[in-house]
Amino acid sequence: MPDIPAEWLERCQSVTAKRPRTVIDHILEHGFITTEELKDKYGYNHPPRAVRDVREQGIPLETFRVTGSDGRKIAAYRFGDFQPLRIRKLSGRTGLSKRLKDALIAQYGCRCFIYREVMDERELQIDHRVPYEVGGDGDGQELNPEDFMLLSASANRAKSWSCEHCENWNSLKDRKVCLTCYWAFPENYMHVATRQIRRIDLVWQGDEAAVYEKLKSVAHDLGKEIPEFVKEVLEREAKLLE
């Protein structure tokens, strides 16, 4: 492992979130961490998400291949190039994150951008509209709130899985493709992770739960799964509007 400049070491030690800190501490001690270790030692069944958490903290990681316990090649991660310019751009980012969340809540309300459910502020997570691996933080010295969204934990996991299995995320790295994706702008999109899919994520909360239970009961009586039944109801309503 290369020598880490003091300012970058300080940056690494400033990360407090459990998942990225686990990855950082392991690399600091052992030089690198493998997908096998993330799964077997730390219980992270989706290693790319844990690695992405580190990169979103501004800590550079590079991927390489090693031989796993079963003799197959697996991914491993180590620190990348520590550039002095980048640490200057990241200074004060913790405070900026609070300002970002406040700005997003002021403009859009305290709700998940994907599921549209109203939530407590502490349950909402800030996420890049365009994945950091594709678009980074942009060229500006200040982060623009319009480049971010608020997501519930479940929506964030769903977005991460979809993005990380997307051809654009893995190879093309075209920001324009992401900007027309459901996961960036669910209110106005052309595709879902480059696939020609249209989707609606519905959440019934509070008193609305009784409506959901009624729909589920009717669907059960008809021998149908509730997504299939709700889709049929919506299709019938759409025909009435023609």
Side-chain angles (χ1 to χ4, degrees):
M1 186 175 67
D3 291 336
I4 301 176
E7 57 185 354
W8 273 107
L9 185 59
E10 182 180 351
R11 175 69 189 175
C12 289
Q13 293 172 341
S14 72
V15 175
T16 58
K18 181 180 178 182
R19 190 160 55 185
R21 186 58 188 261
T22 296
V23 177
I24 291 168
D25 286 347
H26 187 100
I27 297 176
L28 285 172
E29 183 175 355
H30 301 284
F32 65 91
I33 190 169
T34 68
T35 53
E36 189 173 68
E37 289 169 327
L38 283 165
K39 288 181 179 179
D40 298 342
K41 185 172 183 177
Y42 299 109
Y44 295 136
N45 292 321
H46 190 44
R49 173 70 257 190
V51 173
R52 180 180 175 188
D53 285 346
V54 177
R55 288 171 172 155
E56 288 185 349
Q57 293 288 333
I59 308 298
L61 293 181
E62 61 181 25
T63 305
F64 63 105
R65 311 292 286 184
V66 297
T67 302
S69 60
D70 59 0
R72 294 187 300 176
K73 291 295 183 180
I74 59 173
Y77 308 93
R78 61 193 171 204
F79 293 135
D81 183 24
F82 293 99
Q83 300 176 13
L85 172 62
R86 195 173 182 189
I87 190 66
R88 289 199 294 272
K89 289 183 67 175
L90 287 165
S91 62
R93 185 169 178 176
T94 301
L96 187 56
S97 295
K98 180 65 169 71
R99 296 201 299 276
L100 272 174
K101 177 175 276 192
D102 290 344
L104 290 168
I105 290 174
Q107 183 168 352
Y108 300 102
C110 207
R111 65 173 67 238
C112 172
F113 278 39
I114 298 295
Y115 297 146
R116 307 304 302 161
E117 58 184 318
V118 177
M119 307 180 68
D120 189 281
E121 178 181 346
R122 67 176 181 274
E123 297 176 329
L124 290 168
Q125 304 170 356
I126 300 174
D127 193 57
H128 291 77
R129 286 187 184 268
V130 174
Y132 181 84
E133 290 80 1
V134 176
D137 278 333
D139 296 326
Q141 295 296 316
E142 286 285 328
L143 302 186
N144 183 358
E146 295 302 317
D147 293 332
F148 295 82
M149 60 201 312
L150 295 171
L151 299 178
S152 65
S154 59
N156 206 343
R157 287 192 297 269
K159 177 180 178 179
S160 295
W161 190 95
S162 185
C163 290
E164 289 161 11
H165 288 79
C166 174
E167 180 184 5
N168 189 56
W169 191 92
N170 284 295
S171 59
L172 302 178
K173 307 291 187 184
D174 187 342
R175 178 179 171 84
K176 293 179 180 178
V177 172
C178 290
L179 288 173
T180 57
C181 179
Y182 169 83
W183 294 112
F185 292 95
E187 69 278 12
N188 183 25
Y189 64 95
M190 298 173 60
H191 60 88
V192 179
T194 69
R195 300 173 64 191
Q196 283 304 309
I197 296 175
R198 302 295 183 270
R199 60 182 288 168
I200 298 175
D201 290 288
L202 301 175
V203 174
W204 288 265
Q205 60 182 16
D207 294 339
E208 298 171 342
V211 177
Y212 174 86
E213 293 300 328
K214 183 176 181 179
L215 289 169
K216 184 172 73 172
S217 177
V218 174
H220 180 267
D221 292 341
L222 294 173
K224 299 179 179 180
E225 296 291 335
I226 189 167
E228 175 190 10
F229 175 64
V230 170
K231 187 175 180 179
E232 289 179 357
V233 171
L234 292 174
E235 288 173 347
R236 287 199 299 268
E237 289 297 315
K239 289 179 179 178
L240 293 176
L241 297 175
E242 294 177 354

